[in-house]
Amino acid sequence: MNTEAIRAPSWHIHPDAEALARHLARAIARMADAAIAARGAFHLVLAGGNTPQPVYAALASRGRRWDAWHIYHGDERCLPPQAPQRNSQMAASVWLQQVPIPRAQIHDIPAEMGAEAAAAAYAAILPPQRFDLVLLGIGEDGHTASLFPGQPWGLDPATPAVLAVHNAPKAPAERVSLSAWRLRRSRELFFLATGSGKRDALAAWRRGEDLPAARVGTGATVWLDEAAWPGS
Ligand code: 6PG
C-alpha cells in the first residue's frame, strides 16, 4: 500500500471561472512550449466533466506546435463514441477538432468496448514516461477522474495503470479511469474547481480528509475561483 504522506497542494484563487480559464490556458500553453523545447513533445492528460470546457476553448486559440502535442484522458464514461456526454466528445467539440494535433496523437479511451476491455486496451497504449501535465476535476464527494470514495483508487504502483469502474455513484455507472499512481506519474498535476458546489469538497481536502482528490493531489496545484474557495 502506497503510504506517501499527503502533502498540501498550492491554491491559486481567481476572481471567476472566466479569469481562471484565461490564466490556466496561458499556463498550459507555456508548459507545452517548454516541454516541446526540452523534449520535443508535450504529453497532456485531460480532465473530464464541465469545469475544464472554458479552459479547452481558450487553449484552442493559445497553443502552438500542435504537431508535438499528445493527448490522453484521465477517465471516460462507457458510452458510444459519439455520445455528447463522453469526455472525449466534450474536448473534441470545444478544442481538439479546431487544431491540427495529429489524430494518432489523440488517445481516446475506447470506453465503448466496456469497462474491463477498455481499461486493458488503454493501459497498453500509455507512454512509458511521466506525463508532462495531468488536469483533474473534483466532484462534490471528493472524487477525481473516476476514482470515487469507497471504491478502489489504485494507489499502489503494483496495481493496474487503468481501472475498470463499476457502480460509480456519478452517472454513468460504468467508467474507465487512470489509477491514482498513474495519474501521479506526471511532472505536474493541476486540479480545476469552480463554483460554490465544490466548496465543501475543498474544505474537506484542506481538513486532511482521506479523499481520492487529496491522495492524487498530494503536492498538486489547485486552480479555483473565489466561489469555490472554502476560506482559510
Ligand atoms: C467525469 C469526470 C469527473 C469530473 C468531476 C467534476 O467524467 O465525470 O472526469 O471526475 O471531473 O465529477 O465534474 P464537473 O466539472 O462537471 O463538476
Side-chain angles (χ1 to χ4, degrees), residues 108-127:
D108 293 341
I109 297 177
E112 64 278 6
M113 296 166 71
E116 301 291 342
Y122 207 57
I125 65 97
L126 291 178

Side-chain angles (χ1 to χ4, degrees), residues 25-197:
R26 187 186 307 149
I28 295 170
R30 284 206 187 116
M31 289 177 76
D33 291 346
I36 294 163
R39 295 177 293 278
F42 181 56
H43 291 262
L44 172 65
V45 176
L46 302 186
N50 300 318
T51 306
Q53 291 192 28
V55 179
Y56 300 158
L59 259 174
S61 57
R62 266 206 177 277
R64 52 183 170 211
R65 284 294 315 276
W66 295 114
D67 62 300
W69 289 55
H70 298 254
I71 303 293
Y72 309 85
H73 293 273
D75 71 327
E76 187 58 277
R77 302 144 179 210
C78 293
L79 299 167
Q82 301 313 317
Q85 307 90 331
R86 285 262 309 229
N87 291 330
S88 53
Q89 274 301 314
M90 177 271 284
S93 61
V94 300
W95 169 31
L96 300 175
Q97 278 166 359
Q98 298 159 35
V99 297
I101 297 174
R103 190 62 193 89
Q105 291 167 209
I106 298 176
H107 305 285
D108 293 341
I109 297 177
E112 64 278 6
M113 296 166 71
E116 301 291 342
Y122 207 57
I125 65 97
L126 291 178
Q129 78 273 13
R130 290 186 290 173
F131 297 117
D132 291 297
L133 176 61
V134 169
L135 301 176
L136 289 160
I138 182 169
E140 285 77 1
D141 60 358
H143 78 260
T144 191
S146 285
L147 305 176
F148 293 92
Q151 297 197 337
W153 300 346
L155 287 160
D156 189 332
T159 58
V162 187
L163 303 178
V165 178
H166 306 289
N167 306 314
K170 180 182 176 182
E174 292 290 302
R175 293 163 166 260
V176 178
S177 186
L178 267 61
S179 63
W181 74 264
R182 192 59 187 90
L183 288 167
R184 287 191 48 66
R185 202 151 169 264
S186 180
R187 293 169 188 275
E188 290 275 356
L189 276 119
F190 285 173
F191 278 77
L192 293 71
T194 58
S196 58

